[in-house]
């Protein structure tokens, strides 16, 4: 299922994949697209969409600090993700289910390491989760919500930035430090053999 948002009447609705643009069932115009920065949906509607999930699965090979794990945890939805990169830390903090990595590979263009999740482990963990009583699945969601409130608040983020800035101001790397001056021998520039 995909979420579509109508540019004409602003209706938001779920649908099986219908290309990037489709007919809106509310206004019957060919103006519904997948939400994006140009056609965003309201946060409260996004929260309603997320709350339809039994679990959020970030089956990704590489991720910096992506917001979906936090967004879903905020909505009391349990999370599962590849045990790699920032996902590894966030999933554990949200008391989610880390997915084993089957193997790593290096991207030739950038040299970045990617992690391929172990599909057998994923199926086992998802099966176990879906067979839990509903009360335990909900508890895992509430635990994720509590963890978001503990680790991922604006106040905590601001405190971390304040600490980093204060430490920077009190060190040799301070904003006010003019740095070391290094004399460079430029005579090599006149060498015709280089």
């Amino acid at each position: 299922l995909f979420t579509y948002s109508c540019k004409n009447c602003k209706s938001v609705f779920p649908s099986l994949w219908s290309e990037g643009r489709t007919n809106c069932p509310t206004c019957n115009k060919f103006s519904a697209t997948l939400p994006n920065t140009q056609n965003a949906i309201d946060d409260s509607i996004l929260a309603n969409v997320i709350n339809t999930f039994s679990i959020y699965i970030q089956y990704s090979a590489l991720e910096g600090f992506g917001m979906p794990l936090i967004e879903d945890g905020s909505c009391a939805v349990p999370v599962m993700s590849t045990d790699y990169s920032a996902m590894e830390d966030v999933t554990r903090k949200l008391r989610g289910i880390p997915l084993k990595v089957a193997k790593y590979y290096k991207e030739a263009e950038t040299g970045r390491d990617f992690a391929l999740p172990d599909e057998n482990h994923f199926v086992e963990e998802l099966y176990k989760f879906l067979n839990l009583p509903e009360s335990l699945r909900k508890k895992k969601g509430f635990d994720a919500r509590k963890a978001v409130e503990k680790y991922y608040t604006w106040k905590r983020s601001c405190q971390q930035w304040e600490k980093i800035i204060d430490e920077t101001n009190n060190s040799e790397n301070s904003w006010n430090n003019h740095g070391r001056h290094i004399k460079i021998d430029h005579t090599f520039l006149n060498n015709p053999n280089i």
Side-chain angles (χ1 to χ4, degrees):
L1 285 175
F2 291 83
T3 302
Y4 283 87
S5 175
C6 181
K7 291 181 178 183
N8 181 55
C9 71
K10 305 301 179 205
S11 174
V12 177
F13 59 95
S15 175
L16 294 174
W17 173 248
S18 299
E19 301 299 328
R21 192 165 158 196
T22 191
N23 280 329
C24 172
T26 305
C27 70
N28 208 26
K29 300 231 188 242
F30 190 66
S31 55
T33 64
L34 299 170
N36 55 52
T37 55
Q38 308 300 310
N39 188 32
I41 60 175
D42 184 78
D43 286 348
S44 63
I45 294 172
L46 178 59
N48 286 334
V49 170
I50 291 171
N51 277 311
T52 66
F53 301 170
S54 299
I55 187 168
Y56 172 72
I57 303 162
Q58 189 156 335
Y59 201 76
S60 177
L62 178 71
E63 177 69 70
F65 184 79
M67 291 304 295
L69 288 167
I70 306 301
E71 291 169 335
D72 288 85
S74 293
C75 292
V77 172
V79 299
M80 177 187 288
S81 72
T82 310
D83 198 20
Y84 182 64
S85 191
M87 298 176 289
E88 165 180 14
D89 180 59
V90 175
T91 300
R92 282 183 171 73
K93 282 183 176 155
L94 298 184
R95 299 185 189 143
I97 302 167
L99 299 172
K100 291 179 185 174
V101 174
K103 68 178 188 174
Y104 298 91
Y105 70 93
K106 192 172 289 295
E107 183 183 52
E109 296 83 6
T110 64
R112 295 182 299 173
D113 290 326
F114 283 71
L116 293 175
D118 182 320
E119 59 191 42
N120 293 323
H121 183 247
F122 164 63
V123 170
E124 289 170 17
E125 290 299 323
L126 183 59
Y127 183 81
K128 278 195 282 189
F129 175 81
L130 294 174
N131 282 293
L132 289 173
E134 185 177 350
S135 60
L136 286 179
R137 291 194 313 259
K138 283 187 176 184
K139 183 183 181 325
K140 287 185 172 290
F142 290 124
D143 289 345
R145 169 68 187 188
K146 280 192 243 173
V148 167
E149 291 171 347
K150 178 178 179 182
Y151 294 107
Y152 301 106
T153 63
W154 285 112
K155 181 179 180 181
R156 184 174 164 90
S157 294
C158 290
Q159 288 170 339
Q160 291 294 320
W161 276 108
E162 285 175 0
K163 180 180 175 205
I164 290 167
I165 291 169
D166 288 346
E167 286 173 0
T168 301
N169 283 336
N170 295 326
S171 74
E172 65 182 45
N173 296 322
S174 128
W175 306 111
N176 298 321
N177 185 347
H178 298 291
R180 297 179 308 181
H181 294 283
I182 301 170
K183 184 171 172 128
I184 299 174
D185 180 5
H186 291 94
T187 56
F188 73 92
L189 292 175
N190 296 326
N191 185 342
N193 297 323
I194 295 179

